[in-house]
Amino acid sequence: EADIYQTPRYLVIGTGKKITLECSQTMGHDKMYWYQQDPGMELHLIHYSYGVNSTEKGDLSSESTVSRIRTEHFPLTLESARPSHTSQYLCASSDVGGNEKLFFGSGTQLSVL
Amino acid sequence: LAKTTQPISMDSYEGQEVNITCSHNNIATNDYITWYQQFPSQGPRFIIQGYKTKVTNEVASLFIPADRKSSTLSLPRVSLSDTAVYYCLVGEGYSTLTFGKGTMLLVSP
């Protein structure tokens, strides 16, 4: 099984608060991703990274930011949470190679009141 | 990136074989075909991956015709716990993989 962890599992927070969603993997994967998914809807890629000090924006525009200071850690930050940010956030990782296989964490369900 | 098309939903009964077909007409030479399963409130889980012909593991089989413009995920003897959304993705290691809407499989008793 994949060793990729997300915390917290659930987060309820008020509008305007700064939040950081944590994601860590112990597989030594170079590539990491953040996806956003609303209930019953498809996953949207919001950020990805090819390795340390590499971050890219995904297909869906997001007000969040990410950092990649260490290979195993890929946190996502919202400087000022809004109700429109309410969603499930899924972190994933993979090896860089010809047949990419994604490993996902259990996700963080964020509710902004 | 190759775009994929899958049925929105499928229904089945316990013990039946389920085949979900995915179309990917503009698949590139270096692209692999990967299927994922997702339960509610969880992240997707890798099921199977292939490049051509047939691949089988302990969970499923993947059939890919010679032109690679489609693929079929086959789930033998499904159970209630196979009720989930199934995604077909096409891409290679240096591309950003995009999830479509997937196929919602409902298995009934």
Side-chain angles (χ1 to χ4, degrees):
Chain A
E1 283 297 318
D3 295 320
I4 179 164
Y5 308 101
Q6 290 186 243
T7 57
R9 185 75 175 88
Y10 302 94
L11 179 61
V12 181
I13 201 162
T15 297
K17 299 292 186 182
K18 177 180 178 179
I19 60 169
T20 296
L21 308 184
E22 301 288 347
C23 177
S24 295
Q25 51 96 4
T26 60
M27 297 170 283
H29 287 167
D30 287 316
K31 213 166 172 185
M32 296 189 74
Y33 314 75
W34 278 102
Y35 288 86
Q36 184 177 343
Q37 185 179 36
D38 292 328
M41 305 298 285
E42 59 197 274
L43 287 85
H44 292 286
L45 179 66
I46 52 175
H47 298 283
Y48 62 99
S49 165
Y50 285 113
V52 172
N53 295 325
S54 155
T55 60
E56 304 286 345
K57 290 189 179 297
D59 305 321
L60 179 68
S61 175
S62 174
E63 295 170 344
S64 59
T65 59
V66 292
S67 63
R68 190 85 183 276
I69 299 173
R70 303 196 316 265
T71 298
E72 63 271 21
H73 195 213
F74 192 41
L76 181 145
T77 298
L78 276 166
E79 290 294 331
S80 180
R82 294 207 301 268
S84 61
H85 297 139
T86 295
S87 188
Q88 179 171 230
Y89 293 84
L90 291 158
C91 180
S93 71
S94 69
D95 263 335
V96 175
N99 52 342
E100 187 160 338
K101 175 180 170 180
L102 294 171
F103 293 90
F104 280 85
S106 297
T108 294
Q109 181 59 54
L110 173 65
S111 296
V112 184
L113 305 178
Chain B
L1 295 175
K3 178 179 171 57
T4 61
T5 303
Q6 307 174 230
I8 294 297
S9 64
M10 294 183 69
D11 295 322
S12 183
Y13 293 95
E14 283 189 291
Q16 290 190 333
E17 178 184 77
V18 171
N19 295 308
I20 306 174
T21 297
C22 178
S23 298
H24 28 81
N25 291 318
N26 59 340
I27 187 170
T29 303
N30 294 331
D31 286 344
Y32 281 75
I33 301 157
T34 312
W35 285 80
Y36 292 84
Q37 175 192 57
Q38 186 181 28
F39 298 113
S41 300
Q42 294 185 25
R45 182 176 73 101
F46 172 89
I47 299 176
I48 197 166
Q49 184 180 72
Y51 184 79
K52 62 180 179 180
T53 62
K54 177 185 174 182
V55 180
T56 297
N57 62 22
E58 65 278 6
V59 176
S61 295
L62 179 59
F63 299 92
I64 305 169
D67 66 6
R68 302 201 328 124
K69 294 184 183 301
S70 67
S71 59
T72 299
L73 173 72
S74 180
L75 303 172
R77 298 179 299 281
V78 294
S79 64
L80 297 178
S81 62
D82 291 316
T83 292
V85 178
Y86 292 82
Y87 297 95
C88 164
L89 272 72
V90 173
E92 51 87 17
Y94 293 96
S95 62
T96 55
L97 299 177
T98 300
F99 286 78
K101 297 185 187 300
T103 298
M104 175 64 218
L105 172 65
L106 176 62
V107 180
S108 300

